[in-house]
Amino acid sequence: MARVIEYIYRDSIIHQLNPLSKLAWALGVMVLALTFNDPYYLLALLISVGLVGLTGRVMKDLSGVMKGLSIFALILVLLQVVFYHGAYREAVTLGIAMGLRMMTVVLSFLVFLSTTQYKDIILVLTEKMKLPYDYVFMFMTSLRFVPTFLNEAIQVGYAQQVRGCPIDSGNPWRKMKAYIAVALPLVLISLKKAERLAIAMETRGYGSNNRTYYKEPIISTLDYFVIFLVVVLIIGAIILRCKGLGVLH
Amino acid sequence: MTTSNNSLIQLNNFSYQYPHTANNALKSINLSLKKGSFVGFAGPTGAGKTTLIKSINGIVPHFEGGTFSGEVLLNGKAADTMSTAEIGRSVGTVLDDPEAQIICLDVEQELVFGMENYGVPPAEMEQRMQKALASVGIAHLLGRSTASLSGGQKQRLAIAAALAMLPEVLVLDEPTSELDPLGSEEVFRVLKQLHQEQGMTILVTEQKTDLLARYCDQLVILREGEMVLSGTPREVFQHPDIFELGVALPEVTELARRYYPQAEPPITLDEGVQFCRNVIQTFGG
Ligand SMILES: Nc1ncnc2c1ncn2[C@@H]1O[C@H](COP(=O)(O)OP(=O)(O)OP(=O)(O)O)[C@@H](O)[C@H]1O
Ligand SMILES: [Mg+2]
């Protein structure tokens, strides 16, 4: 679980792509996933995302997360079945579509994040997309802290257990209280961490106004091709959708 | 702005109080440090060492808030009129926790972070990066991810990241508190080298007084926000009052002073060995 959104160093064609085209791809996948609700279309989309992940040689590292996601998707299907007012078949189809959609979108972003160095992501978001540097940096930093945070959650959990905090007891009420006991020190730790990081950043000139950039990732012909492909696919999807294909009512 | 002399860092009657506290964390500090000094700060916990370091790099009062009186001058310019980022151009900071001050995921980006913020031309970065890494002896680590470094390597990276910005002075707050004895020695050796070869001005707080005794030119003892002693390590550790100040003495000094209070105590291990020889000879003869 420790490496949910970390950059995974591999030598692959996906890694070499410009972050901008990978971001365009991930956003394109999201648009496609939202355009259709036919499970077959969504399944095809998920498989294509999986193939991109395989090309990037990161699927093995993401398999743990994907397992968790499929369980979550299954729960989505079950919830649909229980709470949907309508035909049973319809409910199942809708639930499956929702589950697939969620898995597709999440997987595409995981592939993007694990094949792109975070400094390059920052660069593209600030320089090319013209988003404010402060927000981009804060967002990326918070992502960066997720693995540390999970580790700490485990450790704080141990610390509380040692003190007799009943995290694994059966009673849900007691369990919830125990989790709050874990969450509180966690929030304190992360606040302290964020403050220290902010201090470290400020003493190193963060917030001065005349930044330069060391290396800017290049845009290759392949990148133009990827971006072109994404645009074509989105236009194609919109046409299909207008014709009523890939959508169930 | 008062006395313009050649001090790099000068504190005139500087007092500071954190927000929502009853007492001053620093009380009327007067301190004048020249370019090229290697100064150690020691004192019991809560003495105000960290606060003093933070007053020099601008975290106090800019980041912390609170109230102050007196002034901190950097090259004759009042620190409170400059932003923290501006101060950072001339004051490089290294903190105690290696985890909390490594900002980026890989060594290269960590070194470049400060330079990018200050608008260093990209063509110049490469060379500065190489030099900074070489200065702290980790040139081979370029290209590694920061998570894969040891504590000592992380601290040296933090020093290199500060050096890449070409500061005039390096301030370090307990840079070895998370390190084992070997790692601690490593960090101080790097500091000594920077001091000798590049004339870098170095201010460092440290609990391990035997390191300060061996490496610093000047030692300042703080207690309850006051500067109580200042001088060469020898002057300070041989001072009659040092036992009352709650500072751990280097072990050799402590032993010698306990058993031979009238003799001049050694302050380093080498001197301790010599001291023992003398004692044995005196008793033997
Ligand atoms: N952020 C803060 N807010 C309020 N009071 C603080 C803050 N930081 C430090 N203090 C108080 O200021 C005084 C000096 O603290 P400081 O951290 O400078 O001591 P120190 O000499 O660095 O101690 P240590 O050896 O434990 O690091 C202490 O009484 C401390 O409680
Ligand atoms: Mg301190």
Side-chain angles (χ1 to χ4, degrees):
Chain A
M1 211 40 193
R3 19 186 13 177
V4 182
I5 36 77
E6 240 177 286
Y7 174 68
I8 303 167
Y9 182 79
R10 295 280 148 75
D11 191 18
S12 89
I13 193 163
I14 305 292
H15 284 73
Q16 287 159 17
L17 278 177
N18 188 289
L20 198 59
S21 37
K22 275 181 273 191
L23 185 62
W25 169 76
L27 291 173
V29 168
M30 192 158 86
V31 171
L32 292 181
L34 292 176
T35 311
F36 302 114
N37 68 0
D38 184 331
Y40 289 113
Y41 278 63
L42 290 168
L43 187 65
L45 190 62
L46 178 60
I47 290 173
S48 80
V49 172
L51 286 177
V52 173
L54 278 179
T55 317
R57 298 165 66 192
V58 291
M59 282 316 280
K60 220 195 221 155
D61 307 79
L62 297 178
S63 63
V65 189
M66 287 317 287
K67 221 184 272 165
L69 274 180
S70 16
I71 293 172
F72 190 64
L74 216 68
I75 294 173
L76 271 184
V77 176
L78 286 179
L79 282 178
Q80 278 293 328
V81 171
V82 174
F83 291 109
Y84 190 74
H85 302 286
Y88 173 77
R89 231 187 105 84
E90 230 172 276
V92 173
T93 322
L94 225 78
I96 289 177
M98 274 173 71
L100 283 174
R101 183 180 283 162
M102 182 218 40
M103 284 177 71
T104 311
V105 172
V106 174
L107 183 63
S108 71
F109 276 92
L110 287 178
V111 169
F112 168 57
L113 289 171
S114 58
T115 58
T116 316
Q117 292 220 42
Y118 111 133
K119 59 171 190 200
D120 293 340
I121 300 178
I122 291 181
L123 214 68
V124 156
L125 293 181
T126 54
E127 288 294 276
K128 297 286 184 304
M129 315 277 292
K130 301 287 178 215
L131 296 174
Y133 186 80
D134 291 32
Y135 294 116
V136 171
F137 198 94
M138 280 304 149
F139 175 69
M140 291 309 296
T141 308
S142 57
L143 271 190
R144 198 206 122 175
F145 271 125
V146 170
T148 326
F149 201 81
L150 288 176
N151 261 339
E152 245 142 39
I154 293 167
Q155 284 192 3
V156 173
Y158 284 148
Q160 301 288 33
Q161 263 174 357
V162 170
R163 291 187 205 137
C165 235
I167 286 198
D168 281 330
S169 74
N171 181 336
W173 174 240
R174 283 187 65 194
K175 216 165 166 173
M176 201 166 87
K177 282 211 313 212
Y179 272 111
I180 293 174
V182 171
L184 209 62
L186 254 188
V187 170
L188 292 179
I189 290 174
S190 57
L191 281 181
K192 197 92 210 136
K193 264 212 155 70
E195 190 192 298
R196 286 179 157 219
L197 194 75
I199 288 183
M201 283 163 56
E202 264 198 50
T203 60
R204 280 162 59 191
Y206 179 72
S208 305
N209 32 27
N210 50 346
R211 311 184 34 91
T212 48
Y213 293 93
Y214 177 48
K215 276 181 195 159
E216 292 200 50
I218 40 163
I219 296 194
S220 65
T221 356
L222 188 64
D223 288 302
Y224 287 116
F225 178 70
V226 169
I227 294 173
F228 176 73
L229 201 68
V230 169
V231 173
V232 167
L233 281 176
I234 289 177
I235 294 173
I238 292 171
I239 294 172
L240 281 182
R241 163 103 204 212
C242 288
K243 290 189 164 174
L245 284 167
V247 197
L248 305 176
H249 297 285
Chain B
M1 308 290 151
T2 42
T3 49
S4 72
N5 51 21
N6 55 353
S7 293
L8 179 57
I9 292 166
Q10 187 159 348
L11 282 80
N12 293 327
N13 253 323
F14 185 75
S15 301
Y16 172 75
Q17 190 171 1
Y18 281 101
H20 320 298
T21 57
N23 294 313
N24 279 353
L26 291 176
K27 298 169 189 155
S28 298
I29 305 284
N30 284 295
L31 188 65
S32 168
L33 302 173
K34 287 193 172 37
K35 204 165 171 45
S37 343
F38 192 149
V39 189
F41 295 87
T45 171
K49 304 179 293 288
T50 300
T51 311
L52 186 64
I53 291 288
K54 285 190 197 162
S55 326
I56 291 168
N57 63 19
I59 297 296
V60 161
H62 290 306
F63 194 91
E64 299 279 3
T67 51
F68 70 95
S69 63
E71 58 184 359
V72 177
L73 301 178
L74 301 172
N75 273 323
K77 198 172 170 204
D80 63 293
T81 63
M82 298 188 257
S83 69
T84 316
E86 213 177 316
I87 294 172
R89 275 183 193 276
S90 46
V91 180
T93 302
V94 177
L95 301 169
D96 56 347
D97 184 355
E99 304 298 332
Q101 62 184 315
I102 302 289
I103 300 164
C104 302
L105 289 180
D106 59 59
V107 170
E108 184 182 271
Q109 187 59 21
E110 183 70 22
L111 289 165
V112 161
F113 180 83
M115 292 192 278
E116 287 182 334
N117 285 336
Y118 286 124
V120 174
E124 210 179 293
M125 291 185 187
E126 179 83 45
Q127 185 209 347
R128 281 210 204 176
M129 203 153 59
Q130 298 288 357
K131 183 161 182 249
L133 281 179
S135 301
V136 300
I138 51 169
H140 57 288
L141 295 182
L142 191 76
R144 284 271 289 274
S145 85
T146 49
S148 71
L149 304 182
S150 73
Q153 287 171 332
K154 277 185 184 152
Q155 280 306 62
R156 288 199 279 173
L157 174 61
I159 296 174
L163 288 177
M165 300 187 288
L166 307 181
E168 287 184 76
V169 50
L170 214 51
V171 298
L172 307 95
D173 188 22
E174 301 198 18
T176 71
S177 65
E178 307 277 319
L179 305 181
D180 59 12
L182 269 178
S184 310
E185 197 74 40
E186 204 172 86
V187 166
F188 266 81
R189 259 204 301 271
V190 163
L191 293 180
K192 183 89 207 167
Q193 207 174 355
L194 284 171
H195 177 242
Q196 283 176 340
E197 290 173 9
Q198 303 177 21
M200 182 63 72
T201 311
I202 291 166
L203 275 59
V204 55
T205 75
E206 181 58 70
Q207 306 268 9
K208 299 165 189 150
T209 41
D210 60 309
L211 285 172
L212 293 178
R214 271 181 295 137
Y215 287 100
C216 295
D217 298 335
Q218 190 186 343
L219 192 55
V220 173
I221 307 290
L222 294 168
R223 192 181 61 165
E224 289 171 13
E226 287 176 82
M227 232 177 90
V228 284
L229 267 184
S230 166
T232 63
R234 189 171 308 280
E235 283 164 358
V236 168
F237 291 131
Q238 291 175 355
H239 197 278
D241 296 342
I242 189 76
F243 273 122
E244 277 93 72
L245 298 178
V247 182
L249 302 188
E251 273 174 23
V252 278
T253 317
E254 168 122 30
L255 281 174
R257 285 191 66 157
R258 182 154 300 155
Y259 294 108
Y260 301 95
Q262 60 284 34
E264 180 172 296
I267 64 169
T268 65
L269 197 57
D270 288 343
E271 286 179 23
V273 172
Q274 192 57 45
F275 186 85
C276 291
R277 286 221 181 88
N278 291 346
V279 167
I280 293 165
Q281 267 167 14
T282 319
F283 273 94

